[in-house]
Each structure stands twice: as structure tokens, then as C-alpha cells.
């Protein structure tokens, strides 16, 4: 459905997107994951024909984004970052305006709008003025706009940014439902979101693709590097030395808080040292108050992937 | 082209859902009414000609206020992004916005019809000259709006759009006045570019094709430039 080949976009001096290629298949939900400024929005803007690429080609639904821009735009529903809407309009007015712009035939317009309103659960606010809506509702109005003409492809730029946890859950649920009917390309910088929604993930950093895989594969690849957080009552110094002696442990950092000490244990890839940690703490008369696998943050993902890349190239 | 009407409709409703339309119309009526009564008192002639000379000045200040939001607001709030990623051509967007602002401009000058009724009541005005003046007003409005639209398309800031628009229109007005009475190709071409001479012909009751062509072609040229500016995002 979407095919991107050697796409690059240069602003003044720096490349925002530098030679990326990927493909989105029909019916797939693909996640673009990356920190702010990685080039996610730029990629999406090129695919939605908002701006052109400096070089490379992209086809969406079989049409070239540069040569057949209007045909591309007919086939996509786009939710821009921060969801810009006209604040003075009522929700229904806005959707009707957008449906007309997107050339939904007059006969179908009413049912299509009602359908979008229904699917995005904004029935109870459809007669409200957009300026008075909360962020969560605005987001859903934006989504309703994106799908009002029933496009084949949905391109969603950070669909859950700035929402409260309940709203995030609702929007994710909605996207999941939409994925059954549409091909979706979405961007985010939240890792669990990708795990929940996407069949495949592209990690993009500084305008380049650094990884492309299924969330499960990516995770197993990343979880190999274990970070374990530990809270222990006992002699910190002694336990620290014992922990460092465990086979497979790469590094132990600790902080003494009187009787209780906190440790961060980093072990080698593919090793699970939790049981050894338990027995060695017990052997040293310590009492484990807490032991968790430290959650992998996006920062670490990037750190790991980018350093791996360097190791390979070096 | 079908979507021009859709854009037009939205822009018109945006004008009347915000205070812009009402404020602009009210301010215009206050000043045009003032100049009408003053000039009528001084000249004691049943004509719009003298008060309309001042009307151009008022319109030079008010028209950019009408046009300032057209693109600047969308650039600022980001609504330009969903708008330009909808399957509409740049020309349709520009033309729809232009027509909406022009329509508001024409609505704004409708209440001046009251002056004609008043003139007919106190004397016997020259209706031919009045009709010609209105044709001139409408054509001049098209030009003023395309200038305002151009300024609005290049900025994110509505105030900047309004101020630059006002300055541009006043310059166009002033260069015509300042070069009046001077001979030579330079002054006559400056006078040709300026709006005042063309406008004056209409107020005298003459609809000269040269003046019509001046307004229509200047407007068309500017709209073409606006479309290019909006489009430039795609190749910049």
C-alpha cells in the first residue's frame, strides 16, 4: 500500500530524513518509533503530499506522491500531530466540511459522517463547538476527520500524545478497531503503544532507519540485556561484592541508604541471573525487599541499537 | 473547482462566527458615513464622488483586516496541514478564500446604498455615475483583497499581515496622488500602477475598459502569485 524508496528530505543544512526505504502492506499496522526530531513527522508529511522529498520516491496506494498528489490524497486519511482544527466550528459542521473537501458524494455524506462519529465515539459532542472540547475529544474529532471518506490508508502522527491515561486507552482501542479495515501507519515515541498496536515496527533515529522488525522480535533482542533493580536489607558492601562475582554480571552499581541498599545489576545478553542473585543475597544474610526487571525505556532502546550499529561498522 | 464553494462557505461562516465581519462593517459605516455627511455639507452637490475619494482611503485600511486571517491563521494554528492534504488543488483553496473575502467586502459596501436613497430624497443625483462608482468599488475590492491575500500567505502572524497589507495599499494609493500633474513616461507609468487614477475615472461616471483591464489583470496576476506561494511549500 505504501512503498518508500531511498527517501530523503533536507532542510537548509541538515537532513531530517536520510535515505529511508520501507514498505507497508495492505491491512498492516506499522509503527514508526523514534524520539522527537527523528524524522517521523517529516516522513509522514512527505507521504501525505504536504511537502516534497529532496530525493527518492514514495508511492501510496499505487500513486506517486509527487506526480499524482491529488490521487494519493484521495486515498489517505491523515491525522497531523497536535490535531489542528477550526475552533469556531461545530463538530458536525467540521466533519461535513471535510467530507465535502474529500469529495464524499452528497448521497453518502450523511451516513459516512454518522458512521465516523459513531466509530470515534463523539456522538455526544457532535453539536458542540470544537473550541470547547477537551484534548481527548479533539483527538477523536481529528480521527473522525481522517476516516470520514473511508480511505484505504490512515496516517496518524502521534495519535495519543497529550492525552490522559484513560483517553490514551480509548484512542488505542479505537486504532486497533480501525486496523481491521484500514492500512495504518502511525508514529509514536511510546514503546508499549507499538507493542500493543503494531504488527511491525520501524525505529528511526536522526533520519535513518536503525531497526525494522516485529515488536516481539525487537523486544526479545532488547530484553537480552538485563537490567535488574534490587532493594536489599543487609550489608551493602558485602552484597555488592558477592553480586559482582556472579557469572554473567557485567556491572553492579549501588547506593547505600543505611540499613537498606539499592542495587542496579546489569547482566550480559541472554543470561538470566535473577535466581543466582537471590541465593547470593541470602548467603550474605541479606533480605530481598524488591527485585524487578527494570523496564526498558525508549532511551535505552536507542542507546542499545545505535551503539550496536557502531560496533558493527567499527 | 467543485470544492471552491466548500472553501468559500467555510470562510464566510468563519467571518460571521467571529467578530471580524461585524467590526469591519461597523467601522466602515462610521467612517464612510462621516465623510459622506461632511462632503455633502461642504459641496452641497448630490453626488457620491467626493465622499468616495475618501472611501478608498478607508478601504485601504479595512480590506487588509478582512484578509489578514485567510492564510496567516491557518499557518499559525496548523490547520493548513489538513487543508492542503485534502484532495483539493492549491488554486481552489486560494480562489475560494479570495471569493469569500470579496463577498464580505461587497456586503460591507451594501449599506452605503442608504446614501443614494438619501441623495434621491434631497435632490436629483446622477445615477449613471453612481452605478459606475459601484462597479469601480467592486473591482477595486478584488485588487485590494488579492494584495491582502498575498501578504497573508507569506506570514504566520495576522497583525503583520494586516500592517504590511495596509502599508502596501496606502503606497499604491499615494504614488498615484503624488505623481499627479507631472509629465513624462516615469510619472505616467507610476500613475498607471497606482490605484487612484483608475478609481477616479469610475467616480466620474466613466467605465473605461482600460481601467477594468487594470483591475482585473492586476487581481489575476496577484492571485496567480498567491497560488505559487502556497504551492512553493511543495518544492521549497
Amino acid at each position: 500500500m505504501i512503498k518508500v524508496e531511498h527517501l530523503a528530505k533536507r532542510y537548509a543544512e541538515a537532513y531530517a530524513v536520510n535515505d529511508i526505504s520501507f514498505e507497508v502492506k495492505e491491512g498492516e499496522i506499522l509503527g514508526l518509533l523514534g524520539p522527537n526530531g527523528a524524522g517521523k513527522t517529516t516522513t509522514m508529511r512527505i507521504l501525505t503530499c504536504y511537502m516534497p522529498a529532496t530525493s527518492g520516491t514514495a508511492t501510496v496506494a499505487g500513486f506517486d506522491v509527487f506526480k499524482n498528489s491529488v490521487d494519493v490524497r484521495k486515498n489517505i486519511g491523515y491525522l497531523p500531530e497536535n490535531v489542528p482544527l477550526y475552533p469556531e466550528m461545530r463538530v458536525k459542521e467540521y466533519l461535513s466540511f471535510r467530507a465535502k473537501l474529500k469529495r464524499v458524494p452528497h448521497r453518502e455524506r450523511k451516513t459516512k459522517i454518522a458512521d465516523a462519529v459513531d466509530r470515534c465515539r463523539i456522538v455526544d459532542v457532535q453539536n458542540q463547538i470544537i473550541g470547547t472540547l477537551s484534548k481527548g475529544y479533539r483527538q477523536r474529532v481529528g480521527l473522525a476527520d481522517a476516516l470520514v471518506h473511508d480511505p484505504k490508508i490512515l496516517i496518524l502522527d502521534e495519535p495519543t500524545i497529550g492525552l490522559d491515561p484513560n483517553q490514551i486507552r480509548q484512542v488505542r482501542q479505537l486504532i486497533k478497531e480501525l486496523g481491521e479495515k484500514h492500512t495504518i501507519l502511525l508514529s509514536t515515541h511510546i514503546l508499549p503503544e507499538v507493542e500493543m498496536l503494531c504488527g511491525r515496527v520501524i525505529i528511526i533515529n536522526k533520519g535513518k532507519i536503525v531497526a525494522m522488525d516485529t515488536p516481539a522480535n525487537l523486544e526479545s533482542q532488547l530484553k537480552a540485556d538485563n537490567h535488574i533493580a534490587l532493594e536489599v536489607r543487609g550489608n551493602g558492601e558485602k552484597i555488592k561484592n558477592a553480586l559482582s562475582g556472579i557469572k554473567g554480571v557485567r556491572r553492579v552499581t549501588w547506593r547505600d541508604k543505611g540499613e537498606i541498599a539499592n542495587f542496579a545489576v546489569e547482566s550480559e545478553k541472554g543470561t538470566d541471573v535473577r535466581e543466582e542473585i537471590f541465593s547470593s543475597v541470602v548467603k550474605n544474610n541479606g533480605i530481598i525487599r524488591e527485585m524487578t526487571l527494570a523496564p526498558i525505556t525508549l532511551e535505552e532502546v536507542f542507546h542499545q541499537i545505535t551503539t550496536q550499529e557502531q560496533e558493527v561498522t567499527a | 473547482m467543485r470544492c471552491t464553494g466548500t472553501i468559500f462557505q467555510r470562510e464566510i461562516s468563519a467571518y460571521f462566527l467571529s467578530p471580524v465581519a461585524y467590526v469591519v462593517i461597523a467601522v466602515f459605516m462610521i467612517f464612510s458615513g462621516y465623510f459622506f455627511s461632511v462632503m455633502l455639507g461642504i459641496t452641497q452637490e448630490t453626488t457620491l464622488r467626493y465622499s468616495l475619494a475618501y472611501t478608498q482611503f478607508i478601504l485601504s485600511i479595512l480590506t487588509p483586516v478582512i484578509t489578514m486571517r485567510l492564510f496567516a491563521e491557518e499557518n499559525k494554528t496548523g490547520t493548513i496541514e489538513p487543508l492542503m492534504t485534502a484532495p483539493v488543488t492549491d488554486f481552489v483553496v486560494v480562489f475560494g478564500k479570495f471569493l469569500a473575502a470579496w463577498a464580505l467586502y461587497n456586503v460591507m459596501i451594501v449599506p452605503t446604498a442608504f446614501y443614494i436613497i438619501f441623495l434621491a430624497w434631497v435632490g436629483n443625483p446622477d445615477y449613471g455615475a453612481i452605478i459606475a462608482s459601484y462597479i469601480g468599488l467592486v473591482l477595486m475590492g478584488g485588487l485590494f483583497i488579492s494584495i491582502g491575500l498575498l501578504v497573508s500567505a507569506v506570514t504566520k502572524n495576522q497583525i503583520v499581515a494586516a500592517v504590511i497589507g495596509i502599508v502596501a495599499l496606502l503606497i499604491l494609493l499615494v504614488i498615484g496622488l503624488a505623481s499627479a500633474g507631472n509629465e513624462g513616461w516615469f510619472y505616467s507609468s507610476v500613475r498607471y500602477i497606482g490605484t487612484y487614477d483608475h478609481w477616479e475615472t469610475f467616480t466620474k461616471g466613466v467605465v473605461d475598459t482600460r481601467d477594468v483591464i487594470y483591475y482585473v489583470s492586476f487581481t489575476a496576476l496577484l492571485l496567480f502569485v498567491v497560488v505559487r506561494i502556497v504551492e512553493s511549500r511543495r518544492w521549497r
Side-chain angles (χ1 to χ4, degrees), chain A residues 9 45 48-52 66 69-70 73-74 78 80 84-86 88-89 97-98 100-103, chain B residues 2-3 6-7 9-10 14 17 74 77-88 233-236:
Chain A
K9 173 75 190 176
R45 282 182 169 168
T48 55
C49 314
Y50 183 66
M51 49 167 67
F66 196 71
S69 131
V70 173
R73 287 183 268 161
K74 274 184 200 162
Y78 176 40
L85 303 167
Y86 298 115
E88 76 279 355
M89 290 179 111
F97 163 68
R98 296 291 297 174
K100 280 186 220 163
L101 270 193
K102 294 171 173 184
R103 313 200 193 163
Chain B
R2 201 158 53 98
C3 291
T6 311
I7 304 272
Q9 232 175 12
R10 195 208 87 76
L17 287 173
E74 305 231 30
T77 59
T79 47
I80 191 82
E81 204 172 333
L83 182 64
M84 302 321 284
T85 52
V88 286
R233 185 200 65 251
R234 296 193 207 276
W235 42 257
R236 230 174 353 208

Side-chain angles (χ1 to χ4, degrees), chain B residues 142-159:
Chain B
L143 174 61
F144 282 15
I145 281 158
S146 58
I147 291 173
L149 198 60
L150 183 121
V151 179
S152 184
V154 295
T155 176
K156 277 184 181 184
N157 190 316
Q158 295 192 43
I159 308 295

Side-chain angles (χ1 to χ4, degrees), chain A residues 58-79:
Chain A
T59 52
V60 176
F63 299 104
D64 187 282
V65 290
F66 196 71
K67 289 182 203 129
N68 307 90
S69 131
V70 173
D71 290 314
V72 169
R73 287 183 268 161
K74 274 184 200 162
N75 283 299
I76 53 164
Y78 176 40
L79 176 76

Side-chain angles (χ1 to χ4, degrees), chain B residues 1-5 7 88-97:
Chain B
M1 282 308 279
R2 201 158 53 98
C3 291
T4 314
I7 304 272
V88 286
T89 59
D90 299 340
F91 173 77
V92 164
V93 172
V94 170
F95 198 56
K97 283 174 181 287

